[in-house]
Amino acid sequence: MSHADHPAEPSKTSEPAVSELVTQLSEQTTRLVRDEMRLAQAELKEKGKHAGVGAGLFGGAGLIAFFGGATLITTIILALALLIPAWFSALIVTVALFIIAGIAALIGKKQVKKAVPPAPERTMDNVKADVNEVKEHGHR
């Protein structure tokens, strides 16, 4: 018999073993997760910079609007001073501003009361009901 007549022993093929594939998969998954985390970190850092600049610009705009409002109040006082004494026009505007502030405070107080407590009560009640339901079905 020739060498060709005997069935050949299984030779090592170029395909890796399952254990090698699992190891490679684990390494590649780890590398992929790390790379994605680095990308997310870089993206968040970039967005954070934009958010910081935006917040600064909003703050500046608010300050300018505050001064604009103060100037408008001064203009109203000076306009009233054309008709009545300046001290009286300033007093009228001051009282009007305090009334507006009081109304805003009362409305704000009502809104804050609606927000207390800050826990999501309906959601917590739903979760408790879900847990009880699971417990009941688990005992059956």
Side-chain angles (χ1 to χ4, degrees):
M1 270 199 213
S2 72
H3 197 302
D5 292 339
H6 291 304
E9 290 183 26
S11 64
K12 301 232 178 193
T13 61
S14 61
E15 295 181 15
V18 172
S19 62
E20 291 176 37
L21 290 173
V22 170
T23 301
Q24 288 176 2
L25 176 63
S26 175
E27 290 171 357
Q28 290 175 357
T29 302
T30 302
R31 189 175 337 115
L32 178 64
V33 169
R34 283 188 192 135
D35 291 346
E36 290 297 333
M37 291 299 290
R38 284 189 197 113
L39 177 62
Q41 189 177 25
E43 188 177 350
L44 287 174
K45 186 177 179 181
E46 183 68 23
K47 288 185 178 196
K49 286 180 185 178
H50 290 292
V53 170
L57 290 171
F58 271 127
L63 185 61
I64 292 168
F66 171 77
F67 285 123
T71 304
L72 177 62
I73 291 168
T74 304
T75 303
I76 294 169
I77 291 171
L78 292 173
L80 284 173
L82 295 173
L83 305 173
I84 56 177
W87 69 269
F88 192 56
S89 63
L91 180 63
I92 291 171
V93 172
T94 301
V95 169
L97 289 172
F98 279 136
I99 290 171
I100 292 169
I103 292 169
L106 289 174
I107 294 171
K109 183 179 175 184
K110 284 183 181 179
Q111 291 299 313
V112 169
K113 279 186 178 181
K114 289 181 182 179
V116 176
E121 293 174 330
R122 287 186 293 187
T123 302
M124 289 177 12
D125 290 342
N126 287 342
V127 169
K128 287 177 186 176
D130 292 343
V131 168
N132 289 335
E133 184 74 23
V134 169
K135 283 181 181 179
E136 287 177 19
H137 286 289
H139 292 297
R140 291 182 188 175

